[in-house]
Amino acid sequence: MAPRSNPSERQRRLGAELRKLRVRAGLSGERAAAILDADRARISNIETGRIDVSRNRLYKVLQEYGCPPGPYFDGLMAMAQEKGTGWWGAFSDTIGPAARDLAELESRSALLRTHEPLVIPGMLQTEEYARAVLEATEGDPQRADRYAEFRLARQQVLTGASPATFRAVIHEAALHTHVGGATVMRRQLLRLMEVSRLPNVSVQVYPFEAGIYSAHTQSFVIYGGAAPELDTVYLEHPTNSLFLQDVDQLDEYAKMFERLSELALAPVDPESAPESHESRDSLSLIQHVMYAL
């Protein structure tokens, strides 16, 4: 089989992890080729995600590379078994490879942490809010409708049979930025409170008075892998979105999120009575903005 020209994020990540393990073990590409009874070019293609490696061969390689049994070992084995097929394939007519990579990444993540300074996170958007955002960025209403449908389908990771834990820190500016008009915004803010009733969802608002830390932090999502080493940071960009996997970068973004969470207001708790709010929290701020619309 000829090497693929455009490997998916999962395929690239698996290859990158194998290269990291090989280098850490002090093994050359030639030695890795000998382990698999292959040539050096095949090892290069495996490590760039251009060629798959079977589970049996991967098991042998991981043992030779000194990777101990555990979540990381099992996570790599699971990545090799996945075929990259899922509900997102139905959107291939419109949605590009990067967006489909994102949906696949979300499908295998147990924990999602996101910071949004200007808009409501996509995972929490209503259909009309999502469409208004996408119409402003896409320009083509039909294309925006298709992207909105895709975005809503992605939200199933919060409500499926094994829902992911979702933590969001949203800057207060996103609550005040009118998207689609007052009615759309009121419904969107109601949606924020409703989805926060889910036991796996936490929503915090970063208030203006907390200072400039959030303002100097771009939007990002941290996707939790089977082991911390397999976490991924996603940075959305209009022309070239990034999937970060370097250990130091992962650690930096994890610390950044925790700092944002510390500075933000207490999480939304829609079950609490208004009179129980002894101090300002995320719920009271969302309600205040909503009633002022």
Side-chain angles (χ1 to χ4, degrees):
M1 181 180 294
R4 58 178 68 89
S5 58
N6 188 27
S8 69
E9 183 276 334
R10 173 182 54 80
Q11 291 161 340
R12 292 192 300 271
R13 180 62 181 276
L14 177 58
E17 294 298 320
L18 291 178
R19 183 182 188 282
K20 181 172 66 177
L21 287 169
R22 176 179 62 77
V23 172
R24 185 182 300 167
L27 300 178
S28 66
E30 288 72 19
R31 173 56 185 156
I35 292 171
L36 290 181
D37 191 23
D39 56 30
R40 180 65 181 83
R42 186 172 186 84
I43 297 302
S44 177
N45 282 323
I46 288 174
E47 293 182 348
T48 55
R50 290 163 58 84
I51 289 179
D52 292 327
V53 56
S54 69
R55 279 178 56 85
N56 289 340
R57 287 193 162 199
L58 177 60
Y59 187 88
K60 180 179 180 180
V61 165
L62 293 179
Q63 288 188 316
E64 292 286 344
Y65 288 178
C67 181
Y72 179 61
F73 188 105
D74 295 341
L76 293 176
M77 293 293 293
M79 289 172 71
Q81 186 175 18
E82 293 173 11
K83 301 300 181 184
T85 56
W87 61 266
W88 49 87
F91 291 85
S92 299
D93 59 324
T94 306
I95 308 302
R100 296 197 299 273
D101 282 348
L102 187 61
E104 183 182 2
L105 178 59
E106 289 166 347
S107 74
R108 66 174 190 267
S109 299
L111 171 64
L112 291 78
R113 290 165 286 175
T114 184
H115 168 248
E116 277 290 354
L118 293 175
V119 296
I120 305 301
M123 282 289 175
L124 307 178
Q125 292 178 4
T126 64
E127 181 177 358
E128 53 191 355
Y129 183 98
R131 185 174 289 109
V133 170
L134 291 163
E135 284 179 355
T137 56
E138 291 296 326
D140 180 351
Q142 289 186 332
R143 186 176 176 84
D145 284 347
R146 189 66 169 151
Y147 265 90
E149 185 181 352
F150 175 74
R151 180 165 295 180
L152 293 178
R154 286 170 48 202
Q155 296 177 3
Q156 63 188 296
V157 301
L158 302 183
T159 57
S162 299
T165 297
F166 185 83
R167 297 177 59 194
V169 175
I170 308 169
H171 197 283
E172 184 179 348
L175 309 184
H176 291 277
T177 302
H178 281 210
V179 175
T183 299
V184 171
M185 284 304 302
R186 275 194 292 269
R187 291 172 179 163
Q188 177 58 72
L189 296 179
L190 277 171
R191 167 67 175 165
L192 272 185
M193 292 185 282
E194 290 170 354
V195 76
S196 294
R197 292 190 176 96
L198 297 173
N200 56 307
V201 175
S202 172
V203 174
Q204 290 181 265
V205 177
Y206 188 103
F208 289 127
E209 63 264 26
I212 64 173
Y213 185 81
S214 181
H216 287 275
T217 306
Q218 68 185 114
S219 64
F220 64 86
V221 186
I222 306 173
Y223 293 97
E229 303 95 319
L230 295 177
D231 286 358
T232 300
V233 172
Y234 175 72
L235 304 178
E236 187 171 10
H237 188 274
T239 58
N240 186 29
S241 296
L242 299 175
F243 294 89
L244 305 181
Q245 55 190 238
D246 177 78
V247 173
D248 291 336
Q249 291 174 323
L250 295 175
D251 184 59
E252 189 65 30
Y253 275 93
K255 291 178 180 177
M256 194 184 305
F257 182 85
E258 292 309 316
R259 181 57 176 160
L260 287 163
S261 182
E262 291 170 0
L263 294 171
L265 297 173
V268 171
D269 180 9
E271 301 303 324
S272 64
E275 60 271 17
S276 69
H277 296 196
E278 297 180 0
S279 60
R280 194 172 185 229
D281 60 9
S282 295
L283 176 58
S284 62
L285 180 52
I286 293 172
Q287 289 175 326
H288 173 76
V289 175
M290 184 177 67
Y291 294 147
L293 288 170

